[in-house]
Amino acid sequence: MKFGIDVSHNNGIINWKKVLLNNPAVDFAILKSSEGATNRDKKFLNNVEGCVANRIPWGAYHFATFNSSNFVADAQAEAK
């Protein structure tokens, strides 16, 4: 089994060197990159750099939100 962490700007500044010492060991990080049609995660690039510098495999995700009653239009705007 692999152990991963979910990281976003809500976690503040991550000490990636400390993450390496975690028990159980962290095998990967999944990083929030964006939310909704226009919001970029403020810490995404810093978190990517932290993972790369510490050789922690990472992936990114988009947090989908629907802000109006027209779900199709919202989904299309987010996909763009």
Side-chain angles (χ1 to χ4, degrees):
M1 183 174 295
K2 300 287 183 180
F3 178 69
I5 57 174
D6 177 348
V7 177
S8 76
H9 69 277
N10 292 321
N11 299 107
I13 297 171
I14 305 296
N15 181 339
W16 290 101
K17 289 190 185 303
K18 192 171 182 180
V19 170
L20 290 175
L21 302 174
N22 194 67
N23 187 11
V26 172
D27 297 304
F28 66 93
I30 184 84
L31 311 175
K32 180 178 172 185
S33 62
S34 55
E35 180 175 342
T38 59
N39 296 325
R40 307 264 187 241
D41 191 287
K42 296 172 230 136
K43 300 288 186 197
F44 177 68
L45 293 178
N46 290 338
N47 290 329
V48 169
E49 291 171 2
C51 286
V52 170
N54 291 282
R55 297 184 177 157
I56 298 171
W58 64 276
Y61 70 92
H62 168 75
F63 189 86
T65 58
F66 299 105
N67 299 319
S68 72
S69 60
N70 189 341
F71 298 126
V72 172
D74 281 351
Q76 289 172 335
E78 290 189 38
K80 288 180 184 174

